[in-house]
Amino acid sequence: MNANQPESVIGGKSFTAVAVNCAAKAGEWMKSKSGNITQLDTKYSAQDLVTEVDKGAERMIRNLIATHFPNHAFLGEEGVEPGPAASAQALEKVKDAEYLWIVDPVDGTTNYVHGFPFYSVSIALAHRGQVIVGVVYDPSRDELFVAERGKGAYVHGRKIGVSQETTLSQSLIATGFPADPAGALPANLADIQTVAPKVRNLRVAGSAALHLAYVAAGRLSGFWEHNLSAWDIAAGSLLVEEAGGRMSDFRKEPYHLGVRNVLATNGWIHDELSSELHPASRT
């Protein structure tokens, strides 16, 4: 490890071990509450749901992290007011922290509410703005995706790598339906209309973090979506990069925590997929 890279432990406590433990405990609790939702509310739009499980899982994760690293900053979805402006402002306030934990306790709440088994816990740790640990846990399949910067990406201890498709026509691509009905959703629908005829097929499964993990594992060739927040992307971004893929915004500028329009691929199809996105998406 070079002098510019942070140590992966402080006082004998491994960042990755803490992230994995937090994800596992939150996922176990989510499974125990599945089918027993008592408080269902909307946030930014009718498609943006939150439950007592989201809030409880975030409290659990925040408390566990604070036990080990009380001086670290924390950015969690449920602690931020709804809407893209609020999420951008929340990130701005903490982006200069030396260590910043970025958490989405339930990525795919709509799926969780409906019993559709595609949701995840997403936990990332950034050091001076660069993601150094990424963990995405799928409780339904008991699949744990883990990445440390410079050390590769793994699922249950097995090293993973991106797929080898070299053209869109060979590729299985994922996207999402953003919760912003006035801006991001119409833009993404326009992109779908353009991209769908050019690819082998499209998938819209409802968890950006898991979509990114699937790109890292070679199950998807690529993924794009409009107007995501740092907690949707941060952990998955490191998985993709450490698995040999490429992360950027729609203009192909390198990914950073402030990116909201995200493009992730195996690298081979990155330029081609970017060129097919609607020109308005790239401005």
Side-chain angles (χ1 to χ4, degrees):
M1 181 172 290
N2 67 46
N4 294 321
Q5 290 181 305
E7 295 295 333
S8 60
V9 296
I10 287 183
K13 299 170 185 174
S14 163
F15 296 150
T16 304
V18 171
V20 166
N21 182 53
C22 288
K25 288 186 179 300
E28 181 181 358
W29 188 68
M30 286 160 57
K31 285 198 293 185
S32 75
K33 301 290 287 183
S34 181
N36 295 302
I37 301 299
T38 59
Q39 297 176 12
L40 177 62
D41 297 306
T42 59
K43 298 192 292 183
Y44 183 63
S45 69
Q47 292 76 36
D48 190 11
L49 303 181
V50 63
T51 73
E52 75 272 17
V53 177
D54 300 72
K55 296 174 183 177
E58 182 163 307
R59 282 195 302 271
M60 179 188 298
I61 294 167
R62 180 193 284 266
N63 290 340
L64 284 168
I65 290 172
T67 298
H68 295 286
F69 307 113
N71 296 321
H72 287 192
F74 185 93
L75 177 65
E77 178 178 12
E78 304 314 323
V80 177
E81 290 297 315
S87 62
Q89 290 168 6
L91 175 62
E92 183 66 24
K93 290 178 181 178
V94 294
K95 67 180 178 64
D96 294 327
E98 182 177 14
Y99 288 99
L100 172 63
W101 293 87
I102 306 164
V103 173
D104 191 341
V106 186
D107 187 62
T109 300
T110 299
N111 288 345
Y112 181 72
V113 167
H114 287 271
F116 186 80
F118 197 85
Y119 52 87
S120 61
V121 185
S122 178
I123 301 176
L125 174 63
H127 178 255
R128 294 175 180 162
Q130 182 183 57
V131 180
I132 60 169
V133 173
V135 172
V136 175
Y137 179 51
D138 176 353
S140 301
R141 294 170 183 79
D142 190 30
E143 282 196 318
L144 182 68
F145 300 85
V146 180
E148 287 186 62
R149 184 161 295 279
K151 296 184 179 181
Y154 298 82
V155 58
H156 286 313
R158 177 179 58 83
K159 195 167 187 178
I160 55 177
V162 294
S163 67
Q164 298 302 303
E165 292 84 24
T166 57
T167 66
L168 280 184
S169 62
Q170 301 170 321
S171 298
L172 182 64
I173 306 294
T175 187
F177 294 130
D180 170 16
L185 179 58
N188 223 54
L189 289 172
D191 286 339
I192 289 171
Q193 190 170 19
T194 301
V195 172
K198 309 289 178 61
V199 300
R200 179 161 286 166
N201 218 317
L202 281 177
R203 295 291 179 263
V204 185
S207 169
L210 267 185
H211 280 145
L212 290 168
Y214 277 29
V215 172
R219 301 172 189 176
L220 291 168
S221 315
F223 166 73
W224 91 89
E225 190 170 343
H226 289 250
N227 210 21
L228 294 172
S229 295
W231 47 74
D232 300 307
I233 313 169
S237 74
L238 188 61
L239 288 167
V240 171
E241 291 174 350
E242 288 295 319
R246 184 174 170 188
M247 290 287 304
S248 77
D249 65 14
F250 289 174
R251 294 172 294 178
K252 299 187 288 186
E253 295 296 322
Y255 171 76
H256 57 82
L257 292 178
V259 168
R260 299 189 63 85
N261 297 331
V262 67
L263 176 60
T265 72
N266 62 4
W268 299 101
I269 64 163
H270 205 87
D271 290 345
E272 188 181 4
L273 180 54
S274 174
S275 69
E276 293 294 344
L277 297 178
H278 194 277
S281 298
R282 299 194 295 274
T283 60

